Amino acid sequence: LLPGEHDVMVVLGIGAACLDLIASVSSYPNPDDKIRSNTFVTVGGGNCANTLVGLARLGHKAVMVTKLGDDANASAVTKELEEEGVSTHLCRRQQGLDTAFTYIIVDESKATRTCIHTPIQEDVDAAEVRSHWLDHVALVHSDSRHTLAAIEIAKMAVSRNIPVIVDMEKPRAHYKELLVLVDVVCTNSRFPALFSPDKSCLQEQMLALLQVGRAHTVITTLGAQGSVLLRRKSDDGTSISPEVEALIPEGILSHTEWTSPDGQESFDIWRCKAWTPCSIQDPTGAGDAFIAGVIHGILARLPPPQWLLLGSKIASDKLALAGARAGIPRKDELPAALLCP
């Protein structure tokens, strides 16, 4: 899959890659206000692209599939990804299109960000997907953009027993056709409610989402409140090592066993509190960084609660610097025990 590399297992990601224009302000403006930014940066962004950068920093090979314009912004996007070790040879560049970009306003007083996204005018088409893209691929990741192409890639992955993980924040066209093909769903606290609007209990909403397709795990991120993982009972190991126990903050992780309301299925539920950050400068991309930790956990065959711990630690470190990627730690900046079974 990678030019000149034929025996390397890689993560294939399909989704958003764009430029982020990030202005940090003391507080979010009121209508008709004129305010000044405290800082301003232009950096690479896009959910899937951010996650692949996180994986590259953890030592994984990663390949990006997206569509870009044939413009200066596209060159900036691909240059930054290549410098991070993410291959862009499957990024489709097309004349007449404008590479996606996002205005981001960071409210320093509340540690929140507001995103105004301008998407590219055209998605990667399903007809552009080629089966050889999945040669030597260990895992497929989708952020649910370029949905029809993502569905085609997911179908090919399922036929080859390649795991598929999706980051799904809101309903998009054809999203249910993608959802039924994935093994792991990462989402926010609002999306599961769409599948069980009459339920107020998060775990029942997550169960309704899980039952849509073939997924064995749903992970919901809760911002400063941490994350929750719901997983069908299996024979896989679920205990973290004493070395990991020794380095994590006390009380950060909890586990319960749960039976569905109809009594038909049993589940493990892990809750992980947010790892306390050293500082918070910009929350942009924290969820994307978290997912990089989850994917590393899957590839390294870590127990599921360790997926949450690693994702939480990576997301916490990311918060310290502006932009979606600058704060994402590299492999040697993380505790070795957290990265290994």
Side-chain angles (χ1 to χ4, degrees), residues 210-226:
L210 188 74
Q211 292 175 330
V212 168
R214 59 192 293 274
H216 53 70
T217 302
V218 172
I219 300 171
T220 297
T221 56
L222 306 172
Q225 282 68 54

Side-chain angles (χ1 to χ4, degrees), residues 283-305:
T284 304
D288 308 329
F290 175 90
I291 293 171
V294 170
I295 292 175
H296 174 87
I298 294 170
L299 294 173
R301 301 185 183 278
L302 306 183

Side-chain angles (χ1 to χ4, degrees), residues 44-313:
N47 298 60
C48 183
N50 296 337
T51 295
L52 295 186
V53 168
L55 287 165
R57 292 188 182 185
L58 292 175
H60 299 282
K61 297 293 183 182
V63 178
M64 182 80 211
V65 179
T66 194
K67 182 160 282 189
L68 304 169
D70 191 17
D71 52 19
N73 285 352
S75 298
V77 167
T78 55
K79 181 176 184 291
E80 184 174 332
L81 287 174
E82 291 286 348
E83 289 174 348
E84 288 285 358
V86 177
S87 176
T88 61
H89 72 281
L90 294 182
C91 292
R92 329 311 287 168
R93 294 184 64 161
Q94 185 170 323
Q95 289 186 346
L97 301 182
D98 301 308
T99 298
F101 62 93
T102 305
Y103 293 113
I104 300 174
I105 302 173
V106 177
D107 182 341
E108 295 175 351
S109 67
K110 296 181 179 178
T112 61
R113 89 294 186 253
T114 300
C115 300
I116 306 170
H117 182 64
T118 301
I120 193 166
Q121 299 95 324
E122 183 179 302
D123 282 353
V124 178
D125 192 273
E128 298 178 73
V129 175
R130 297 292 179 264
S131 61
H132 69 79
W133 292 2
L134 277 81
D135 293 347
H136 313 290
V137 166
L139 182 145
V140 168
H141 172 53
S142 164
D143 66 10
S144 74
R145 273 90 163 184
H146 305 285
T147 314
L148 291 177
I151 291 168
E152 190 66 22
I153 290 173
K155 287 178 179 177
M156 294 178 181
V158 170
S159 71
R160 298 191 190 194
N161 293 316
I162 298 170
V164 181
I165 178 170
V166 68
D167 171 19
M168 198 166 281
E169 302 173 323
K170 61 183 180 181
R172 304 175 189 276
H174 306 287
Y175 78 99
K176 288 186 179 179
E177 297 168 53
L178 176 60
L179 197 55
V180 299
L181 296 168
V182 307
D183 300 278
V184 178
V185 182
C186 290
T187 188
N188 54 30
S189 60
R190 299 180 298 277
F191 187 71
L194 298 175
F195 298 86
S196 187
D198 57 329
K199 306 289 186 182
S200 59
C201 174
L202 177 60
Q203 64 196 43
E204 291 190 25
Q205 294 172 349
M206 292 172 68
L207 172 60
L209 172 54
L210 188 74
Q211 292 175 330
V212 168
R214 59 192 293 274
H216 53 70
T217 302
V218 172
I219 300 171
T220 297
T221 56
L222 306 172
Q225 282 68 54
S227 56
V228 181
L229 183 151
L230 175 73
R231 183 177 173 88
R232 299 183 196 274
K233 276 285 188 182
S234 71
D235 296 328
D236 296 341
T238 59
S239 299
I240 59 176
S241 68
E243 292 79 8
V244 173
E245 286 274 13
L247 65 86
I248 63 175
E250 184 177 356
I252 194 173
L253 191 68
S254 62
H255 172 252
T256 56
E257 296 182 354
W258 182 61
T259 302
S260 59
D262 62 8
Q264 298 300 307
E265 284 192 275
S266 296
F267 300 89
D268 286 304
I269 299 175
W270 284 275
R271 291 177 172 84
C272 182
K273 296 178 181 178
W275 205 295
T276 303
C278 296
S279 64
I280 302 177
Q281 182 172 339
D282 179 7
T284 304
D288 308 329
F290 175 90
I291 293 171
V294 170
I295 292 175
H296 174 87
I298 294 170
L299 294 173
R301 301 185 183 278
L302 306 183
Q306 201 165 328
W307 305 355
L308 300 186
L309 291 168
L310 179 59
S312 179
K313 173 59 176 169

